[in-house]
Amino acid sequence: MQAEFDQPYMVDVVLPAGFDVRNPFLGVISPGGEVNEAEDAVIVSWEDTRFIEVRFYDGLREHALLIFGSFWIILCAIFILPYVFLRQRER
């Protein structure tokens, strides 16, 4: 979501429960934005800004990132550990 204003405004974007912006790999907030938590919402606030940008995500995307990242870490370990052990054995 993006918005541009003709003069500086105080802007609040309220994301309902289930959406978030705090993971830097998935979410983006334009400079000057502050993230606060409410009961069932995430509130992103700007003071005196002419432009806002918010890229938010749901829980499913965060879960998919965790699975994808774990998969690549495990895959790297499978290929790197035998190489390290062989190098140590040669010394």
Side-chain angles (χ1 to χ4, degrees):
M1 177 170 81
Q2 296 179 347
E4 190 171 340
F5 307 105
D6 57 349
Q7 59 184 357
Y9 284 103
M10 183 177 153
V11 180
D12 290 334
V13 174
V14 180
L15 301 173
F19 293 101
D20 207 342
V21 294
R22 291 174 281 192
N23 188 324
F25 293 111
L26 295 172
V28 170
I29 350 177
S30 58
E34 287 186 29
V35 179
N36 299 307
E37 283 190 64
E39 285 182 23
D40 292 331
V42 173
I43 302 169
V44 185
S45 303
W46 291 266
E47 290 186 21
D48 295 329
T49 187
R50 289 179 176 239
F51 175 76
I52 65 161
E53 179 180 9
V54 179
R55 184 171 64 206
F56 53 91
Y57 56 89
D58 60 356
L60 180 63
R61 290 194 190 271
E62 191 167 21
H63 189 67
L65 177 67
L66 180 65
I67 291 170
F68 182 74
S70 299
F71 171 76
W72 280 105
I73 290 172
I74 291 168
L75 193 64
C76 288
I78 288 171
F79 286 110
I80 291 174
L81 287 178
Y83 174 75
V84 170
F85 289 139
L86 286 175
R87 294 230 355 151
Q88 285 181 355
R89 190 178 294 170
E90 288 175 2
R91 288 184 183 178

